[in-house]
Amino acid sequence: MDILAQAAGLVFQPYVLLVIFASACFGLFVGAIPGLTATMATALLVPITFFMDPVPAIAAIVTATAMAIFAGDIPGALLRMPGTPASAAYVEDAYLMTQDGRGDEALGAVLVFSAIGGIFGTIVLVTTAPALAEIALKFSSFEYFWLVLLGLSCAIFVSPSSVTRGMIALLIGLFAATIGIDNPAGQPRYTFGNVELLAGVQFIPAMIGLFAVSEVLRSIVYSKERPKIDRSGKHTVFKRQWTNIRRYPIQMLRGSATGTAIGALPGAGADIAAWISYAVSKQFSRQKEKFGRGHVEGLVEAGASNNGAVSGAWIPALVFGIPGDSITAIVIGVLYVKGMNPGPTVFINDPQLIYAVFMVFFLANIIMLPLGWVAIKGASTLLSIPNRVLMPVILLFCIVGSFAINNSVFGVLLMLIFGVLGFIMEENDIPIAPAILGLVLGPMLEQNFITSMIKADGSFLAFFERPIAAGLGIFTIVVWSIPIILYLRRRWAGSEASPKEDLPQG
């Protein structure tokens, strides 16, 4: 109890609370702009944290990260331009709900369930961090290969289009991921002598192009004004969420647990968590046909998974000093600078600081609700702005975001190329989201496959020799088999019905 009292004394100070509030506003702003990710928000805060004590420094990063992950859903729902790759998993549902006049309900769902997922992940972080970190450390390249493959498979099966079109989109993303010199062989691939392409295709400019620029092009070609969000009072941000909690409690808990577990795996993060949770939600739903057409169920599960993964990523970071994602990689550096060397000893040497960090997690997810409500109400005014004014401003933000990745004009060129590609894909009913996931996870898939094959001396059986790898591998193969089995069943049923149709009518 003395340690908790000391931790509370470190957190509940006017200065620390002010830092949390300011960081929350900063995270909301950065996350809501397509191209400016939660990782970028964290990186921008690092120079400022050098002038802070340990608790406010970590509080600033924790709060900004949680807010930025949620804020990425705002442009996704209102403008069909996801702020983060994780938001792309359910952007179609959120955007179609806005078109149907239920934008407040969609954003309310991701807000409330993001907060719930974050709180759930924090509870797990506080109570079971060492045990979960032990499991996470048992993941080798074999387990990661199957996990990434499962995430890519989910992208195909959750596609609102056919499985074939989802596969085409995924292959486009995987091809783009092979470009450059960052591969196990260290050889330039598909660069055509272009020095800029040696660094590969950056997924932020590609994502901005595929979603945002293609939407700008569509508004120019079809000259359609956007639907205005429903302000009649029938749907409000929080009004429908109690109903959603009662209707989808299993989805809420399952998404929170899945996000926390995947977040605890080094290198996995919220992107894979959101996609897998959305796919699981669709697979077990009684209303599968509604997914991708403006249904809130996927938002509940994937939204909870997003922020659950944010908390889960801190488990290996605090317990073993191993980053769970790019954000905690930055955080570990800040912890070392502040003298809080991450690892088992930090729980012994500085327990009050660790519990202060836990309290900040709870605070960040709680204040997300009122500040998120303000952000949603403020951002909803975007839909009242005419396209001829809004689209040039959006394009300007897209250019700034793409340029800021490497301070290079080449990022802007990539954005424009992928914008045209995204427009062509959608005109032919090829979904965009699987291409984004292929681009993000492609390098991880290749790296883990090559590493595993070297370890196994070319034997494929080694992918099933480890217990966790075998479980993930069998589950992935089962997922692949489901569409084939369903197809064969339909063919079998059709062949049985056809002779009856050929019988002469009496």
Side-chain angles (χ1 to χ4, degrees), residues 93 278 282 285 287-296:
D93 279 309
Y278 186 84
K282 181 178 180 180
S285 174
Q287 298 175 306
K288 293 184 180 67
E289 69 283 354
K290 292 187 177 181
F291 277 69
R293 292 175 172 80
H295 188 45
V296 77

Side-chain angles (χ1 to χ4, degrees), residues 444-465:
M444 190 184 299
L445 177 71
E446 182 182 25
Q447 185 67 50
N448 285 296
F449 176 72
I450 297 296
T451 303
S452 299
M453 290 298 287
I454 292 172
K455 289 179 183 177
D457 198 21
S459 173
F460 286 100
L461 292 177
F463 285 84
F464 296 92
E465 288 177 354

Side-chain angles (χ1 to χ4, degrees), residues 31 33-35 72-73 75-77 79-89 91 207 211-212:
I33 298 176
D73 296 327
L79 303 170
R80 198 174 168 272
M81 301 173 185
T84 62
S87 303
V91 66
M207 185 181 74
F211 279 106

Side-chain angles (χ1 to χ4, degrees), residues 341-417:
N341 297 348
T345 57
V346 75
F347 290 85
I348 301 171
N349 299 334
D350 300 300
Q352 70 282 0
L353 294 179
I354 291 298
Y355 281 100
V357 171
F358 293 158
M359 289 181 181
V360 168
F361 266 100
F362 283 113
L363 272 179
N365 286 287
I366 290 170
I367 67 169
M368 184 189 296
L369 295 172
L371 292 181
W373 179 84
V374 173
I376 290 170
K377 287 301 181 184
S380 297
T381 58
L382 286 173
L383 296 183
S384 63
I385 302 174
N387 268 355
R388 64 181 181 276
V389 177
L390 180 62
M391 289 302 162
V393 174
I394 288 173
L395 187 59
L396 178 62
F397 274 118
C398 292
I399 292 171
V400 171
S402 299
F403 179 82
I405 300 301
N406 289 317
N407 291 328
S408 170
V409 177
F410 187 73
V412 180
L413 180 61
L414 275 180
M415 176 198 75
L416 295 174
I417 292 172

Side-chain angles (χ1 to χ4, degrees), residues 69 73 84 86-87 90 114 255 259 270-271 273-274 301-310:
I69 291 290
D73 296 327
T84 62
S87 303
Y90 45 88
S114 289
D271 302 345
E301 188 153 347
S305 183
N306 263 0
N307 277 55
V310 172

Side-chain angles (χ1 to χ4, degrees), residues 311-358:
S311 301
W314 282 70
I315 293 172
L318 287 178
V319 178
F320 290 102
I322 299 173
D325 56 11
S326 57
I327 294 169
T328 48
I330 298 172
V331 168
I332 286 174
V334 175
L335 289 173
Y336 276 114
V337 170
K338 298 301 177 184
M340 292 175 60
N341 297 348
T345 57
V346 75
F347 290 85
I348 301 171
N349 299 334
D350 300 300
Q352 70 282 0
L353 294 179
I354 291 298
Y355 281 100
V357 171
F358 293 158

Side-chain angles (χ1 to χ4, degrees), residues 141 144-145 148-149 152 174 177-187 189 438 441-454:
S141 59
Y144 277 113
F145 169 77
V148 173
L149 209 56
L152 293 172
L174 288 173
T178 64
I179 296 173
I181 200 171
D182 187 18
N183 56 73
Q187 292 293 320
R189 295 187 303 198
L441 298 184
M444 190 184 299
L445 177 71
E446 182 182 25
Q447 185 67 50
N448 285 296
F449 176 72
I450 297 296
T451 303
S452 299
M453 290 298 287
I454 292 172

